[in-house]
Amino acid sequence: MDTKCTNSYFDTVFSEKSEINSTSEYTLAEYMPGIKRIVKTSARVRVLEKVISDNKVIVGGETIFNVLYVSENTGLLKNVIFKEPFDIRFDKDIGTSDASKYHICVKTSPVAASTKNTGLRLMTARGKFTVSCEVLAFSDAKFCLGDTETPKCGLETLKRETQRAKMEINEGIRCDISREIKIDDDAPEIEDIVCTDMDVCVNSVSVSDGTVKVYGKANFKCLYEAKHDNDTEYISLEQEIPFESEVDVPCVESSWEATVSAFCDSVTVSTLNDDYGEQRIFDISASVILGVFAVANEKCTVITDMYSVNENIVPTREKNRIYSLIDKYSSQAQYKDKVRLDLRGITEIVSNNLELSFLNPEFSDGSTFLPAKGVLTVLGVKENGEAEAQSAAINIRIPIKNIPYEIFKNKVKWVCNTYMCAYDCLLSSGELEISLATDGSVIALCEDSVDMITGYEVSDTCGKDSVKSGFSLYYPQKGESVWNVAKNHGVSYEKIKSENAITGSDFEKETPVILR
């Protein structure tokens, strides 16, 4: 699913939300023990395809279920992973089937996941997710007419100097993070791997000419059964795996800002023996998929009005959105709160799984927040040694100090790549406390709507007093009275002030003003 966009200027032409409701029946393989009880279910969405077909946006992929259960005969914890394909067709017509000038952005957020054992070797899993889809249209839109196109007819134009953002996107970059991890010598030897998980976080990004360098880490988590002669013991292991990658983005320069999306594409884990023949090494085969979004401002001039004193011209008027880069901000933050879960009888937390999706920053009550939604699943052990899991929907607002409140005075479009770089769950006095840290970055773009002229035609009916000449330009002296100019030219005093953004009674600059 590699994607490269090299056309710089963009606009949002489509933004919709939908839901994935996956249901999958799974039959255990013959070598797997039967099901006594389902303990824990987690689920993730993997987007494999984003296409435009018959003027519609289609998003395809798979829901990956990870189910932990107690085996019927031995009472040991066992884990199975299975997948269910999905296909979403958004109803809104985007007006084209040519995908070459478009880029589809998709974000998913978990809502709920559960599994029911419907037989000794049969289970039914359900997962619910929200899917946000946005389509960007890229073009080489021309906002200003060049001097070579000016007709020989005394053309007068009213121009507005502004900035517009240009964007480069390079997605589908695979970064291999496979490696071996050896457990400590004083830790129990590995009998069996119960379940594994991996989260990815981008810590920093640097931009040079033609290249974006990405620095990040993967948080590897594993629950394994320890090798003992008598009792069964489960050990939870966590290990950070740092990575870095250079992504080629030919058009970028060192002055550009960039933010990077990242997710774990695949993870398989097996065990190896160490030099003493003991099973103490995890052999991890994994990869991360990166997506670079690079943005920079460019000065541009738009023509907002024109007329000719010699020819009858007919301008082509359009209302266009222009995005300009405000700035890039770090999304580093800390958060701690209590979560309501029924943990009666649970004496120890063995492992936990938090699937969290970050939304765009918000401003309310004088503070800036980073909203996040997801699902927390906690695996605990009771006094009798029995494992039990509880899940809860997470809907939090993380205070973030790195984004100034003044930004929210604009109409802002966000490019948000925030990650949960660390989290922990602590059981205290029967209550569960969650603490987490975020990292990554967000890019803020200011959206402005501009009425502009993108072209014109010279009419066959020419005349010096043409009615098409809808305005004239006047070049005032600094300090000249607005009232006197209005009186001398027979136009409204208030209209001069409103159309030219004049606050006082005199002209403060020697720049042309509209009179009509």
Side-chain angles (χ1 to χ4, degrees), residues 450-469:
V450 180
D451 290 313
M452 62 181 68
I453 291 176
T454 57
Y456 63 90
E457 291 181 357
V458 178
S459 175
D460 292 337
T461 56
C462 304
K464 187 174 182 179
D465 300 321
S466 170
V467 294
K468 298 293 183 182
S469 304

Side-chain angles (χ1 to χ4, degrees), residues 41-259:
T41 302
S42 62
R44 287 184 177 181
V45 166
R46 184 184 179 200
V47 176
L48 300 174
E49 186 179 40
K50 305 178 293 184
V51 298
I52 297 174
S53 177
D54 296 330
N55 299 347
K56 307 288 185 182
V57 177
I58 299 174
V59 177
E62 57 191 14
T63 304
I64 303 172
F65 293 99
N66 194 326
V67 180
L68 192 66
Y69 72 95
V70 177
S71 61
E72 181 196 23
N73 298 327
T74 63
L76 297 176
L77 291 175
K78 296 295 178 180
N79 179 241
V80 290
I81 298 174
F82 51 96
K83 304 171 183 179
E84 181 69 22
F86 71 85
D87 193 67
I88 299 176
R89 186 183 180 92
F90 290 88
D91 292 332
K92 187 174 180 180
D93 193 322
I94 66 169
T96 182
S97 292
D98 179 14
S100 61
K101 297 289 188 179
Y102 292 84
H103 179 75
I104 305 171
C105 304
V106 177
K107 285 194 174 183
T108 63
S109 178
V111 177
S114 63
T115 304
K116 181 186 294 185
N117 60 311
T118 50
L120 183 61
R121 312 188 64 78
L122 185 66
M123 61 180 71
T124 301
R126 294 178 178 177
K128 185 176 182 180
F129 300 83
T130 59
V131 180
S132 301
C133 179
E134 182 179 27
V135 178
L136 300 179
F138 288 80
S139 69
D140 297 317
K142 184 165 57 178
F143 291 163
C144 180
L145 302 175
D147 292 337
T148 58
E149 299 174 7
T150 303
K152 309 293 185 180
C153 56
L155 184 72
E156 290 280 358
T157 60
L158 183 66
K159 298 178 180 180
R160 171 180 164 183
E161 302 294 329
T162 186
Q163 293 189 107
R164 59 175 172 174
K166 49 186 179 180
M167 180 183 288
E168 296 290 329
I169 299 177
N170 194 351
E171 283 192 320
I173 309 303
R174 187 178 299 274
C175 176
D176 183 66
I177 57 171
S178 301
R179 66 198 57 204
E180 296 178 359
I181 294 177
K182 186 178 182 298
I183 62 175
D184 295 336
D185 292 336
D186 57 352
E189 192 178 347
I190 305 165
E191 175 68 31
D192 188 26
I193 297 174
V194 178
C195 60
T196 60
D197 191 22
M198 185 175 286
D199 296 311
V200 179
C201 171
V202 173
N203 301 120
S204 64
V205 176
S206 64
V207 182
S208 57
D209 292 351
T211 303
V212 175
K213 195 160 187 177
V214 184
Y215 303 88
K217 66 178 181 180
N219 295 316
F220 172 71
K221 292 188 175 185
C222 178
L223 181 67
Y224 73 91
E225 179 189 343
K227 184 176 286 187
H228 286 302
D229 294 333
N230 299 315
D231 297 336
T232 300
E233 183 183 9
Y234 297 101
I235 306 295
S236 181
L237 171 76
E238 293 188 25
Q239 181 76 41
E240 288 187 1
I241 301 175
F243 67 86
E244 61 180 70
S245 178
E246 284 192 3
V247 181
D248 291 333
V249 190
C251 295
V252 304
E253 299 175 1
S254 57
S255 59
W256 287 50
E257 297 287 1
T259 182

